[in-house]
Amino acid sequence: MTDKDNSSAKLWGGRFSEATDAFVERFTASVQFDQRMANHDIDGSIAHAKMLARVGVLSEDESQQIIAGLEAIREEIKAGRFEWSVALEDVHMNIEAALTARIGAVGKKLHTGRSRNDQVATDIRLYVRGEIDQIAGLLNSLQAALIDLAEREADTIMPGFTHLQTAQPTTFGHHMLAWNEMLERDYGRLMDCRKRVNLSPLGAAALAGTSFPIDRNYTAELLGFDAPTENSLDSVSDRDFAIELAAFASLVMTHLSRFSEELVLWTSAQFEFIELPDRFCTGSSIMPQKKNPDVPELVRGKTGRVHGHLMSLLTLMKSQPLAYNKDNQEDKEPLFDLLDTIKDCLFAYSEMMPAIQCRAENMRSATLKGYATATDLADYLVNKGLPFRDAHEVVGKAVASAIGAGVDLSELSLQQLQEFSEVIEQDVFEVLSLEGSLQARDHLGGTAPAQVRAAAARARQRLEQRQQAN
Ligand code: ARG
């Protein structure tokens, strides 16, 4: 990156009588971070040049020269040979200046009927659309991994918690499908956001459109947009699509942070429910025994910056008068960072999930500890004719007595159980077993292993249908 050409040679320099202050030049520049949109900028410019030729503003030959020049610049950038200049402020003017340097005066015609305002709005939408499609793929990979895990562990009993206290038995498979549902809704939000991203602002020019006979439908079509945007003022100014995407990303991170928290807990010596692969963990420089779940911890931690970026973007947009304001240049760093972050986190999790090992014995004995089948006993009593509130009371007393004796409900004898209610018979022991409790919840969304397998199959079908459609 250079700033050697700090002179009056600005593309907008005509009305200025002194060179830009060196600090201001750096302060107002965005090329340091917006150069990552170079390909999208070139795509937008090529579409614009084709359109200008089609409507007769440029000759076919001029348009061809511009397109060839832009393609050559694309190659130069790709090869790392392009010299970015801070004095040229942003990706748009760097490329435009390089074009004119390369092909001569005809390069100066490219900017006819457009402004950097509709140019940057187009670039961001193109960039974001590409990111959305990548993120959709990563989300679906993670979902596929969760569904595989759910099928693999549909019979692996673990305690289900409320208030992080043992509540009722569930399975590791069922738990994985809960995570998958969160991501499924995130996917829906992403696709919904994509519809509003995929509209072309090109042609709005600075704010009011242009006097040239442009064809906005044509550029929209060339760039793969669903349609042009409706209003020129709105087109160049709002970044609500980026805010929506940040909100989507914030929810994904909220979900991943919940997974992370559980993974961290489950790997601890106090739980010992799972084993994470060594290649996803790190050690301690002082405590030789440590195997730290750094990846989940970092994912949990990175949630903070993504949520922060959502706040940045919301605050950035707040109170901006129509139409474009330079404030909007500040949209890029938060947007890029949140997209990079969420892609890394989704990738890490989709790679790590298949390698998780369940410690089924530990999960089972943990489930036996917290009176997880107490509700099953209450339901049993209801089936024998007791009103639920009375049944609740009876079981509460039985649990208190079992706690006193230091045993599980299933370890009380039939005689002992009958002291709490005479309707209790030998068949109670099936109800008090962990397997019995799971099997009893044999309905859509329940814990019965057959239901979990069916739910996993439906989830997989949903995913496969979507992959075929794409
Ligand atoms: N670098 C600017 C941005 O990111 C491009 C648009 C500049 N437009 C302007 N009128 N100064 O928003």
Side-chain angles (χ1 to χ4, degrees):
M1 185 100 43
T2 66
D3 53 6
K4 60 179 189 300
D5 34 4
N6 176 22
S7 65
S8 55
K10 301 284 187 204
L11 296 186
W12 39 254
R15 61 103 65 218
F16 288 78
S17 55
E18 60 175 356
T20 316
D21 178 271
F23 167 77
V24 171
E25 192 162 84
R26 212 167 14 88
F27 188 68
T28 54
S30 56
V31 65
Q32 307 89 318
F33 46 83
D34 66 15
Q35 56 179 268
R36 71 157 86 187
M37 301 192 305
N39 262 322
H40 311 89
D41 194 70
I42 290 172
D43 291 342
S45 291
I46 289 176
H48 183 65
K50 283 187 180 163
M51 183 278 291
L52 289 179
R54 186 173 161 125
V55 301
V57 171
L58 290 182
S59 72
E60 195 50 48
D61 177 57
E62 288 170 329
S63 173
Q64 286 307 326
Q65 285 184 55
I66 288 173
I67 293 168
L70 288 168
E71 289 296 5
I73 292 169
R74 193 201 299 276
E75 287 311 308
E76 215 176 289
I77 294 171
K78 196 169 150 203
R81 282 187 276 109
F82 190 86
E83 204 175 317
W84 297 99
S85 155
V86 172
L88 288 166
E89 201 175 317
D90 54 26
V91 63
H92 323 294
M93 291 197 293
N94 267 267
I95 292 176
E96 196 190 324
L99 179 69
T100 302
R102 181 179 278 272
I103 67 170
V106 63
K108 296 183 185 174
K109 293 193 173 184
L110 170 62
H111 212 52
T112 315
R114 97 176 164 176
S115 147
R116 273 186 297 152
N117 296 350
D118 62 341
Q119 193 177 351
V120 70
T122 304
D123 292 3
I124 303 172
R125 284 171 183 267
L126 290 173
Y127 182 86
V128 161
R129 184 181 69 192
E131 295 290 294
I132 286 177
D133 294 343
Q134 279 181 45
I135 291 168
L138 288 164
L139 253 179
N140 288 341
S141 303
L142 175 52
Q143 289 188 274
L146 290 173
I147 295 165
D148 287 347
L149 210 48
E151 266 167 356
R152 195 183 87 193
E153 308 292 346
D155 297 294
T156 307
I157 296 173
M158 69 177 280
F161 301 95
T162 59
H163 314 269
L164 203 57
Q165 311 292 315
T166 301
Q168 291 173 351
T170 182
T171 64
F172 196 80
H174 194 53
H175 203 107
M176 292 303 104
L177 288 183
W179 289 359
N180 180 55
E181 284 306 303
M182 299 179 206
L183 298 182
E184 181 64 22
R185 290 191 296 278
D186 290 334
Y187 178 79
R189 276 183 277 271
L190 182 64
M191 289 301 106
D192 196 48
C193 172
R194 193 186 192 283
K195 290 184 223 151
R196 284 177 289 278
V197 166
N198 201 31
L199 298 171
S200 176
L202 203 56
L207 74 164
T210 172
S211 57
F212 295 97
I214 56 169
D215 183 346
R216 295 193 60 211
N217 283 307
Y218 183 55
T219 43
E221 192 190 307
L222 287 175
L223 293 168
F225 285 118
D226 294 330
T229 52
E230 278 291 334
N231 178 283
S232 65
L233 298 173
D234 176 51
S235 304
V236 291
S237 65
D238 210 333
R239 298 290 183 262
D240 56 356
F241 62 90
I243 297 175
E244 243 184 271
L245 189 63
F248 149 83
S250 294
L251 272 170
V252 170
M253 291 305 294
T254 291
H255 289 149
L256 295 185
S257 79
R258 297 181 66 191
F259 306 177
S260 301
E261 178 71 5
E262 296 194 322
L263 294 173
V264 170
L265 283 172
W266 295 345
T267 53
S268 73
Q270 286 64 35
F271 277 78
E272 290 191 306
F273 282 6
I274 60 164
E275 189 75 45
L276 293 179
D278 279 4
R279 64 182 184 280
F280 275 86
C281 296
T282 61
S284 156
S285 56
I286 173 168
M287 297 168 282
Q289 85 284 11
K290 292 299 289 292
K291 175 176 164 184
N292 293 326
D294 288 40
V295 171
E297 288 174 89
L298 264 178
V299 170
R300 189 176 59 188
K302 284 179 188 292
T303 306
R305 67 204 275 170
V306 174
H307 289 188
H309 294 325
L310 170 61
M311 287 308 123
S312 301
L313 292 172
L314 278 168
T315 313
L316 169 68
M317 202 67 243
K318 177 187 172 295
S319 311
Q320 272 196 51
L322 286 171
Y324 175 86
N325 300 283
K326 185 78 167 178
D327 310 40
N328 281 342
Q329 183 165 290
E330 285 288 305
D331 63 354
K332 288 168 204 66
E333 286 162 293
L335 185 60
F336 295 158
D337 186 70
L338 74 85
L339 291 168
D340 293 347
T341 304
I342 176 181
K343 282 193 296 183
D344 278 352
C345 293
L346 288 170
F347 177 75
Y349 268 27
S350 53
E351 293 287 299
M352 187 177 72
M353 282 300 156
I356 286 181
Q357 289 306 322
C358 285
R359 305 178 80 169
E361 268 318 301
N362 295 346
M363 289 197 229
R364 187 185 175 87
S365 50
T367 318
L368 286 170
K369 266 183 213 149
Y371 303 96
T373 56
T375 316
D376 297 273
L377 180 55
D379 291 351
Y380 171 87
L381 294 171
V382 168
N383 282 325
K384 298 270 177 182
L386 261 69
F388 183 77
R389 278 293 151 226
D390 292 343
H392 190 287
E393 170 81 14
V394 166
V395 178
K397 293 206 167 100
V399 167
S401 151
I403 290 172
V407 295
D408 183 51
L409 283 176
S410 61
E411 293 170 306
L412 294 172
S413 68
L414 182 57
Q415 231 172 1
Q416 285 171 308
L417 284 167
Q418 282 169 340
E419 280 168 31
F420 301 103
S421 169
E422 70 263 19
V423 303
I424 296 177
E425 294 169 80
Q426 184 61 37
D427 59 354
V428 75
F429 289 106
E430 194 186 321
V431 163
L432 290 178
S433 77
L434 300 180
E435 283 79 5
S437 172
L438 290 177
Q439 291 296 358
R441 286 153 174 77
D442 190 13
H443 54 74
L444 187 83
T447 54
Q451 291 289 350
V452 171
R453 287 206 176 80
R458 285 193 301 274
R460 188 186 304 286
Q461 202 185 14
R462 212 159 52 182
L463 216 52
E464 283 171 358
Q465 275 169 359
R466 148 186 329 160
Q467 272 151 2
Q468 274 159 17
N470 289 337

